Structure formats: C-alpha cells, structure tokens
C-alpha cells in the first residue's frame, strides 16, 4: 500500500456566496432539515427535474476532477464545483446542510466520506473522492466518484476500479419487486472476493425534494432492508469499500470519517430511479 503520511485537518476558507436569485433548500440557515413526509415514489415531472439536477451535479464533479493534480488544494476543487453549479442556476446541496461549510465533500485516502475541502494539498499517489450534489427546480441530484492523483500504487488503483465495479453491479441488480437488500448483497459478495471491508454505518438514501428522505440503502446484506423496490422510487447507491476494517473514527470537526485502521477507502455513487425493467441513472453528465 502507499506509504503516504496520514491526513490532518487543514485551514477552511470562508463560506462561498450564492446569488440571491438561486433557490435555497429549506434547511439552509437551520440546524437540521425538516423531516421528509412525502412519498418515495416520484411522478414523471419530479424525475425529469431530478435528471436536470443530477446532470448538473455530474458535470460539476467532472469539472472539479479536471483540476485534480499534485499541488492543488481540495479548497480549489470546491471552488470549481461551486462556481459551476452557481453558473448553471443550481445551489450546492451540501452548503449549509446541518452546518456543512462547503459545496462538495473531498475525501482523500483513509477518509471514508464527508471530508471538508480546505488548504490540504493533493500529493502524488493520493486517491481523491469528490461528492457533489446539486439542488435546482426544487429537487436534488447526488453523485460521487474516486479519482487517482498522479502515480497511484497498484493496490489503491485496484480498490478504486473494483469499487466502481461494485456500484455497476448493484445498479444492475435493481428491479421492481425485489427487496432493497439485494443491492447490499451484490456489493458485499463482490467485495469479499478481494478481502475488502464494506462500510456499514454510512449508506445510500432516498432522494427527491429532500436531500435524505429517510429511506436507507445499505451496502451490505442487511436483513432489515426489506422495502420492496417499485417503479418511480428514487435513491442513491454509494458503496464505500476499504482495504481493511469497515470500522471508523470521526475527526473533531464532526464530519470527516476515517477508517479506524487508517487504510485506504474508495467510494462511487449515482442517483437512480427504479423503472419497469431495472434502473435509470439520473446523474449522467
């Protein structure tokens, strides 16, 4: 595995501004969002609006990823994604969500998820997860991917490649009439072939006009995930695989989640809608 030194918190820059004409999610300026009480199954109009939000999120993530290189700060990646979403009339969903101070999550190496962009400088050999969500026309689109920075060691490269494949396999398992736990079963059985850990405490989620609707999508074979998938249901699948344990620690910032053994981890995510025959990805650029 890479011999990179472990990450430490950097300096966080001031909150970026959003023009007043861009619609904010209801939770901005509040300590927590209002609990969602609507349906998990969305109508055709909502799905098409989610497709627009998903496309902007995917394009913003791609634009930020173009800047991944040794010497670039994670704060700079945040700036690129923030400006892209603003320029396309979208609000960065993470900005102000439960007090999160930035417009994307940047999770490097041993960070499982929810890393805060700051003055941390990318190094040759890092793996970099970007998690971008856009809010426009009253709905959210959420996606993430893990990228290679410079010359990455083979063990880390394979982890990234296989985590992407685990998401692809999970998407193919989506069918109306199946229980949600088939998603985690597919991911976990694939990850076990390589001895990878599968993070259990951070999951996929229902998404629509709510960033997190309350629907939970585990990435392991959970006996409790018995909700039956139905056409029109919208949610994310976002497996987090590790080179070691699935257990974690959290930094004092209350957001940054790192593997307990500090081994590397990768993640990929799409927002989906269940169709009559499978799944349609809403976060395509």
């Amino acid at each position: 595995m890479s011999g990179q030194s472990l990450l430490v918190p950097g300096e966080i820059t001031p909150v970026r501004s959003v023009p007043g004409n861009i619609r904010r999610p209801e939770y901005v300026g509040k300590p927590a969002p209002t609990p969602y009480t609507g349906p998990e199954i969305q109508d055709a109009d909502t799905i098409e609006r989610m497709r627009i939000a998903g496309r902007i999120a995917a394009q913003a993530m791609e634009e930020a990823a173009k800047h991944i290189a040794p010497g670039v700060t994670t704060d700079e990646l945040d700036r690129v994604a923030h400006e892209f979403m603003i320029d396309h009339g979208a609000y960065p969903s993470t900005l102000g969500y439960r007090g999160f101070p930035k417009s994307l999550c940047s999770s490097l190496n041993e960070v499982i998820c929810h890393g805060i962009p700051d003055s941390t400088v990318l190094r040759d050999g890092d793996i970099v997860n970007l998690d971008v969500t856009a809010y426009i026309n009253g709905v959210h689109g959420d996606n993430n991917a893990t990228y290679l920075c410079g010359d990455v060691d083979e063990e880390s490269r394979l982890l990234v490649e296989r985590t992407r494949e685990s998401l692809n396999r999970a998407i193919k398992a989506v069918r109306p009439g199946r229980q949600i736990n088939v998603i985690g079963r597919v991911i976990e059985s694939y990850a076990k072939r390589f001895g990878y850990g599968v993070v259990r405490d951070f999951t996929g989620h229902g998404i629509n006009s709510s960033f997190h609707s309350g629907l939970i999508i585990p990435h392991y074979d959970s006996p409790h995930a018995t909700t039956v998938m139905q056409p029109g249901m919208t949610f994310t699948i976002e497996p987090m695989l590790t080179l070691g344990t699935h257990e974690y620690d959290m930094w004092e910032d209350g957001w940054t989640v790192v593997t307990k053994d500090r081994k590397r981890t990768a993640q990929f995510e799409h927002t989906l809608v269940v169709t009559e025959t499978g799944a349609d990805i809403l976060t395509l650029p």
Side-chain angles (χ1 to χ4, degrees):
M1 196 184 86
S2 168
Q4 296 278 44
S5 58
L6 297 179
L7 293 165
V8 295
E11 181 179 336
I12 299 174
T13 59
V15 172
R16 302 187 196 283
S17 63
V18 178
N21 64 315
I22 292 179
R23 179 178 172 184
R24 272 83 167 144
E26 60 82 23
Y27 53 74
V28 174
K30 296 164 54 178
T34 302
Y36 178 71
T37 57
E40 298 296 349
I41 296 169
Q42 307 305 312
D43 60 27
D45 173 68
T46 302
I47 291 166
E48 288 312 304
R49 285 186 284 127
M50 289 181 67
R51 196 183 304 278
I52 293 169
R55 181 166 61 245
I56 292 171
Q59 291 172 339
M61 184 174 72
E62 278 196 342
E63 196 62 31
K66 291 177 184 176
H67 296 260
I68 291 175
V72 175
T73 65
T74 54
D75 186 68
E76 173 65 8
L77 304 179
D78 180 79
R79 182 194 66 78
V80 172
H82 177 92
E83 292 182 359
F84 185 95
M85 286 185 272
I86 297 307
D87 288 346
H88 289 78
Y91 185 92
S93 301
T94 60
L95 185 62
Y97 179 78
R98 297 182 181 272
F100 192 83
K102 290 295 173 181
S103 298
L104 58 70
C105 299
S106 55
S107 302
L108 279 57
N109 302 336
E110 69 270 21
V111 179
I112 295 171
C113 58
H114 304 158
I116 300 174
D118 58 17
S119 60
T120 297
V121 174
L122 300 182
R123 301 165 298 182
D124 186 59
D126 283 342
I127 59 173
V128 184
N129 179 270
L130 301 181
D131 193 335
V132 180
T133 310
Y135 177 80
I136 190 171
N137 298 325
V139 295
H140 301 267
D142 184 4
N143 71 161
N144 76 55
T146 304
Y147 300 90
L148 309 182
C149 181
D151 184 17
V152 174
D153 68 274
E154 181 72 358
E155 186 179 37
S156 298
R157 189 189 65 76
L158 285 172
L159 173 69
V160 171
E161 180 181 302
R162 290 164 176 166
T163 305
R164 181 191 293 111
E165 176 63 16
S166 77
L167 172 59
N168 293 339
R169 289 175 179 233
I171 292 170
K172 291 175 182 175
V174 172
R175 290 284 187 283
R178 290 181 173 176
Q179 293 183 346
I180 279 173
N181 56 16
V182 71
I183 293 169
R185 190 175 308 135
V186 165
I187 293 167
E188 188 173 40
S189 63
Y190 179 71
K192 279 184 173 179
R193 288 167 49 181
F194 311 104
Y196 295 154
V198 181
V199 172
R200 302 168 78 91
D201 292 285
F202 300 90
T203 67
H205 52 89
I207 184 171
N208 38 65
S209 60
S210 172
F211 194 173
H212 298 85
S213 73
L215 177 67
I216 301 299
I217 312 295
H219 303 119
Y220 64 99
D221 188 3
S222 169
H224 306 295
T226 56
T227 300
V228 174
M229 292 182 271
Q230 301 177 60
M233 189 178 285
T234 50
F235 53 81
T236 71
I237 303 176
E238 44 187 301
M240 292 153 259
L241 305 187
T242 70
L243 290 176
T245 182
H246 67 269
E247 296 180 346
Y248 68 92
D249 292 321
M250 187 175 287
W251 283 4
E252 290 185 4
D253 62 24
W255 284 105
T256 307
V257 179
V258 296
T259 54
K260 187 169 280 293
D261 57 13
R262 302 303 191 265
K263 291 186 177 179
R264 287 187 166 190
T265 175
Q267 181 184 15
F268 284 83
E269 173 187 22
H270 274 305
T271 295
L272 314 168
V273 59
V274 180
T275 68
E276 296 290 344
T277 57
D280 187 10
I281 298 172
L282 300 178
T283 39
L284 293 176

